[in-house]
Amino acid sequence: MSSSDQHSSIDFIRAKIIADLESQKFGKRVHTRFPPEPNGHLHIGHAKSICLNFGIAREFGGLCNLRLDDTNPTKENMEYVTSIQEDLQWLGFDWDDRLFYASDYFEQLYQYAVMLIQKGKAYVDSLTAEEIRLYRGTLTEPGRESPHRKRTIEENLALFSRMRAREYENGVHVLRAKIDMASPNINLRDPALYRIRHATHYRTGEAWCVYPTYDFAHPLSDSLEGITHSLCTLEFEDHRPLYDWVLRECEVSCHSQQIEFARLNLGHTVMSKRKLLQLVEEGHVKGWDDPRLPTLKGLRRRGYTPEAIRNFCERVGVAKRDSVIEMALLEHAIREDLNRSASRVMAVLHPLKVIIENYPVGQIEELEAVNNPEDPSEGKRRISFCREIYIEQEDFREDPPKKFFRLSPGQEVRLRYAYIIRCVGFEKDPQTGEVMALRCTFDPDTKSGKTQSSRKVKGTLHWVSAQHAIPAEVRLYEALLTQSNPGSGGELQDLQMLLNPHSLTVLSGCKVEPDLSKATPGSRFQFERQGYFCLDPDSTQDKLVFNRTVPLRDSWAKIEKE
RNA sequence: UGGGGGAUCGUCUAGCGGUAGGACGCCAGAUUCUGGAUCUGGCUGCCCAGGUUCGAUCCCUGGUCCCCCAGCCA
C-alpha cells in the first residue's frame, strides 16, 4: 500500500455491499454492470457511473459487465455502440468478454411475459395511449382500471401472441402488468411491459415488432446476468418497487439489489442527452467531440487524460443529494495530472517583436531548456536564440501598474533559459497607438546557467526566436454556458440564451517552438506560463492547431482584477 | 394538498450520542529562471423550532425548503 493512498471513507453504496457480503445475500459475489442505452455518446456523467461500477467490481474482486440497454428500436444504432466501447476503453476500463445486449434477451423476456400472463399478473390492454393516460389518474387521485383488465388468461395469451405475430399496428395493444391502479406510486398503476413498434432494430432487424419497456427488461437483464448490485440514478428510486415486483413475479433465482445515487452535474455545462444533442444539431458546437462539450470525446479532444477524469470521479464522491460540482474541481484534476506529465515548451499566443539591439546581427545561440522540471527523466532540449524574438503582448506595459513584474520602459526581466534584457524603447503605431515592437538590450553576463548573475529580476518571460519559431493556430476555450447551474428544465430558447459567446476564441498568428512540428495529434504540452495545450487533429503539415485544455492558475490575473 | 428521496463550509464530501474532518476554492506567507509547481498558516458550515440526554449534526416531534414521478423514453 502506497503511503499516498488517501483512504477516502466508504460511501453508502460500498457500505451496503459490504453488509450484503457479510450477510451472504449473494454469497461472496459482487457483480455490477454499466448499462448505457446506445442512443447517444458518453459524457462525464457516465464516467462517474463507469468508475463506480467498474471500480466497485475491482475493489471487491468482482466483475462488471458492459450491457447495451437497447430495447427501443427507434432510437438506437450501432454507431453509438461502437462509440461507447471506444470511450470506455479510452477511459481505461475493460469488460473482457462480458459485452451484453438487452436485445439478446428478447426471447427470454418474451417468455417471462407469457409467464406473467399465465399467472394472471399481466394483461393485454387495448386502450389508446391517450386513454391509458386518462385512466392512470393523477398524483393525487387514484387511477381507474381498464375495461380490458378482466380479460381471461387465454384471451391475453392469444392477443399477446398475435401482437408478436405482427397482426396489429403500433399502439393498438400493449401488455401491462396487473398491479394496482390505486397505488400512490404511479409506477405501480399497471405499467406497460411490452409495446408494439414496427421498426427495424439495429441488431434484431425485423425479428420483433413487440419490444419490452425499461421497467420490464432492466430487472430481468440484471437477473439473467447474475448482477448482484444494480446501481442507477435517483430518478429510478420509485421504480424500485416495480423492479422488485418484476423479479419476484418472474420467480428469478438472482434477485439483484437496485441502489440509487445522485447523478453528476457539472457547473456551466449541460449533461442531458437531449440538450447535448440540441447543441450539436443546432450547430452551437462543432460536433460530439467539440472540446467545449462534457462528452468523453470532447474532453479527450480538449486534452483531458483518462487518468484525470477517473481521479475527478473519485473526488466527486457518491451520495444521494443533488449537487453541482464546480468546473474548478475538474480543472484541478487535469492540471494535477498534466503538471507531472506534460512537456514544457514556449509558445507566444499574441506576439510582440523584440529587437535586442546589442545582440550581434546574424548570431544564433543554442540554449538549453528543461523539458519538465517535475520529471528530470524527460531531459533537456536545445532552443535557438537570436537578435529578434517574440514575447507576449501582455508582457509589456507602457505604463505598468503596481506589482507588474514584466517589461516596461527601463525595466528588466529575464528571458527564460536566456538572458536578462532591459527595455530601452518601443515603437508605436501612430494611428492606433498599438505597440508594434520593443527595443531592448541584453546583458551577456546573465546567460542562463551562468551563476555569476547576482542580479535578481522580478519577472521571467517566455519567448520564441523570430527566425526559428513556426506559426500555429491556438483555440482557447471557456465555459460553454454563462450560468453555473442551468437547471434540469429549460427549452431550446433558454439554452441558447445561456450560451457563452466567448466559449471559443481562435488565435491564428501564434508562434511556437519549431520542434512542435514533430508533435502528433493528441499530444499534450505545457506552454510555459500559459496553460496546457494539446495538438488538435485539425492540424496539417503546414498548420499546427492547438487546443487549450486549461490555463495555468494565474495569480497575476487575480491581482490585476482589483 | 398522493408517493418517493434529500438538506453539513462558497462547491463537493465525511461523521452513526462525546472537540464537526478532508478535498476543491479563497486569503496570507515562504520558495521559485513558469506570477506555474511546491511548502507553511488561515478562512467560512450542521435548514428551523421544540423535546429526550450530563452531552444532539446524529435520536424524537413539528415545520421549512429542494429534487423526482402522471412515456407505449431510459
Side-chain angles (χ1 to χ4, degrees):
Chain A
M1 172 164 322
S2 80
S3 56
S4 65
D5 273 348
Q6 293 182 347
H7 289 269
S8 46
S9 52
I10 51 169
D11 54 72
F12 76 100
I13 293 180
R14 281 174 243 252
K16 169 66 174 155
I17 291 174
I18 289 168
D20 287 346
L21 247 18
E22 280 168 2
S23 71
Q24 298 267 300
K25 179 169 180 176
F26 299 99
K28 292 177 181 167
R29 294 194 310 119
V30 173
H31 204 329
T32 56
R33 102 268 94 114
F34 173 61
E37 182 187 11
N39 71 340
H41 295 280
L42 263 26
H43 53 63
I44 187 128
H46 292 109
K48 173 179 177 180
S49 175
I50 292 164
C51 292
L52 222 209
N53 278 295
F54 280 90
I56 282 175
R58 181 174 43 72
E59 289 161 34
F60 290 93
L63 299 169
C64 180
N65 296 353
L66 168 58
R67 177 165 75 233
L68 285 307
D69 202 357
D70 54 359
T71 57
N72 187 346
T74 62
K75 295 185 167 184
E76 301 144 1
N77 65 55
M78 205 61 203
E79 285 72 63
Y80 287 127
V81 172
T82 308
S83 162
I84 287 168
Q85 294 189 70
E86 279 173 8
D87 288 348
L88 216 34
Q89 273 165 341
W90 175 75
L91 235 201
F93 294 97
D94 184 9
W95 53 92
D96 296 313
D97 58 346
R98 295 180 313 284
L99 168 62
F100 300 108
Y101 295 84
S103 53
D104 281 343
Y105 309 138
F106 282 171
E107 184 59 40
Q108 290 166 89
L109 263 18
Y110 181 87
Q111 295 306 332
Y112 273 120
V114 168
M115 176 183 168
L116 287 183
I117 294 172
Q118 285 168 335
K119 292 175 68 177
K121 297 291 186 178
Y123 63 100
V124 173
D125 199 356
S126 308
L127 255 26
T128 64
E130 172 69 0
E131 288 168 329
I132 287 180
R133 187 173 65 77
L134 262 15
Y135 273 73
R136 188 153 29 228
T138 68
L139 293 178
T140 52
E141 306 157 39
R144 286 141 49 214
E145 296 187 352
S146 165
H148 308 294
R149 201 177 198 257
K150 294 190 185 67
R151 285 214 257 239
T152 65
I153 290 172
E154 290 66 34
E155 276 181 289
N156 285 320
L157 250 17
L159 249 13
F160 190 47
S161 166
R162 293 172 65 188
M163 280 168 66
R164 176 178 183 171
R166 325 186 75 87
E167 292 189 29
Y168 308 108
E169 294 302 305
N170 287 350
V172 331
H173 298 300
V174 61
L175 183 73
R176 291 229 257 167
K178 190 184 287 185
I179 306 180
D180 178 7
M181 287 308 290
S183 172
N185 181 345
I186 292 179
N187 297 298
L188 262 19
R189 317 240 263 229
D190 290 8
L193 265 24
Y194 263 90
R195 71 285 213 197
I196 300 173
R197 280 262 209 288
H198 290 278
T200 304
H201 187 280
Y202 76 101
R203 290 191 76 242
T204 60
E206 310 292 329
W208 295 87
C209 72
V210 289
Y211 293 91
T213 58
Y214 168 86
D215 283 319
F216 189 61
H218 205 88
L220 291 170
S221 300
D222 283 340
S223 179
L224 255 13
E225 291 176 20
I227 300 304
T228 58
H229 300 272
S230 180
L231 314 182
C232 64
T233 43
L234 254 25
E235 67 269 28
F236 294 105
E237 203 149 17
D238 50 17
H239 287 241
R240 178 150 36 92
L242 177 52
Y243 182 98
D244 290 330
W245 183 92
V246 170
L247 294 184
R248 199 182 329 116
E249 296 300 341
C250 289
E251 300 168 32
V252 300
S253 52
C254 174
H255 192 129
S256 320
Q257 173 68 54
Q258 175 177 304
I259 307 174
E260 311 83 12
F261 63 94
R263 63 164 5 106
L264 171 68
N265 294 298
L266 243 195
H268 296 280
T269 189
V270 290
M271 215 62 90
S272 86
K273 282 180 186 173
R274 199 186 110 258
K275 288 180 185 171
L276 288 170
L277 186 65
Q278 182 188 332
L279 289 170
V280 172
E281 288 191 333
E282 291 177 4
H284 299 119
V285 295
K286 292 173 183 169
W288 285 101
D289 66 344
D290 189 296
R292 289 168 290 185
L293 255 21
T295 54
L296 260 20
K297 290 185 190 315
L299 289 166
R300 158 150 59 161
R301 187 164 180 182
R302 174 86 168 244
Y304 273 80
T305 60
E307 167 82 6
I309 293 174
R310 281 188 258 117
N311 244 292
F312 168 76
C313 289
E314 267 173 43
R315 283 166 199 253
V316 151
V318 185
K320 294 194 72 157
R321 89 181 73 155
D322 295 313
S323 60
V324 182
I325 278 71
E326 290 177 340
M327 201 60 91
L329 187 60
L330 219 208
E331 295 183 338
H332 174 263
I334 188 60
R335 285 196 189 103
E336 182 182 54
D337 189 11
L338 261 21
N339 176 52
R340 303 190 273 264
S341 62
S343 293
R344 271 62 169 171
V345 295
M346 293 202 281
V348 175
L349 270 30
H350 298 95
L352 170 60
K353 182 166 278 189
V354 174
I355 298 156
I356 301 164
E357 296 185 322
N358 58 339
Y359 197 85
V361 176
Q363 179 172 315
I364 294 171
E365 260 181 288
E366 295 274 296
L367 304 173
E368 195 168 65
V370 173
N371 287 328
N372 186 348
E374 302 291 322
D375 181 4
S377 73
E378 278 196 47
K380 297 175 177 178
R381 68 183 186 286
R382 315 285 289 179
I383 52 177
S384 301
F385 182 79
C386 63
R387 192 168 191 267
E388 294 192 1
I389 63 171
Y390 290 110
I391 65 167
E392 213 66 59
Q393 284 172 21
E394 64 174 22
D395 283 339
F396 172 78
R397 288 289 184 82
E398 184 178 349
D399 296 305
K402 283 184 177 57
K403 294 185 182 173
F404 185 79
F405 302 152
R406 306 178 186 186
L407 221 42
S408 56
Q411 292 303 303
E412 281 188 330
V413 293
R414 170 168 291 282
L415 292 176
R416 176 131 243 228
Y417 297 124
Y419 300 93
I420 289 175
I421 60 170
R422 177 189 300 278
C423 177
V424 296
F426 60 95
E427 290 153 25
K428 234 176 174 180
D429 183 314
Q431 302 298 114
T432 64
E434 188 189 350
V435 177
M436 304 304 289
L438 260 37
R439 283 182 285 114
C440 295
T441 55
F442 87 113
D443 180 345
D445 291 337
T446 60
K447 184 170 177 175
S448 188
K450 302 271 192 292
T451 48
Q452 84 277 35
S453 158
S454 56
R455 219 151 5 117
K456 283 277 183 184
V457 287
K458 43 280 170 226
T460 298
L461 305 187
H462 63 278
W463 55 274
V464 292
S465 158
Q467 189 184 136
H468 305 270
I470 58 176
E473 173 179 312
V474 173
R475 299 172 182 171
L476 306 179
Y477 302 100
E478 283 174 34
L480 223 204
L481 304 180
T482 53
Q483 194 174 310
S484 71
N485 183 12
S488 52
E491 287 309 312
L492 174 144
Q493 299 294 33
D494 306 307
L495 190 54
Q496 275 188 7
M497 291 198 309
L498 294 176
L499 288 172
N500 175 7
H502 309 296
S503 64
L504 168 63
T505 303
V506 178
L507 269 25
S508 55
C510 311
K511 303 284 188 182
V512 305
E513 279 186 36
D515 281 358
L516 251 14
S517 65
K518 291 181 288 217
T520 53
S523 42
R524 306 177 180 90
F525 302 91
Q526 184 196 98
F527 288 0
E528 292 217 30
R529 299 210 308 137
Q530 304 194 95
Y532 296 99
F533 295 76
C534 82
L535 191 64
D536 191 87
D538 280 352
S539 298
T540 60
Q541 196 73 348
D542 39 35
K543 179 186 168 198
L544 295 178
V545 177
F546 290 94
N547 294 311
R548 183 174 68 188
T549 308
V550 65
L552 249 28
R553 291 180 67 220
D554 187 352
S555 50
W556 164 243
K558 286 174 193 166
I559 295 170
E560 202 186 18
K561 233 186 254 177
E562 291 162 5

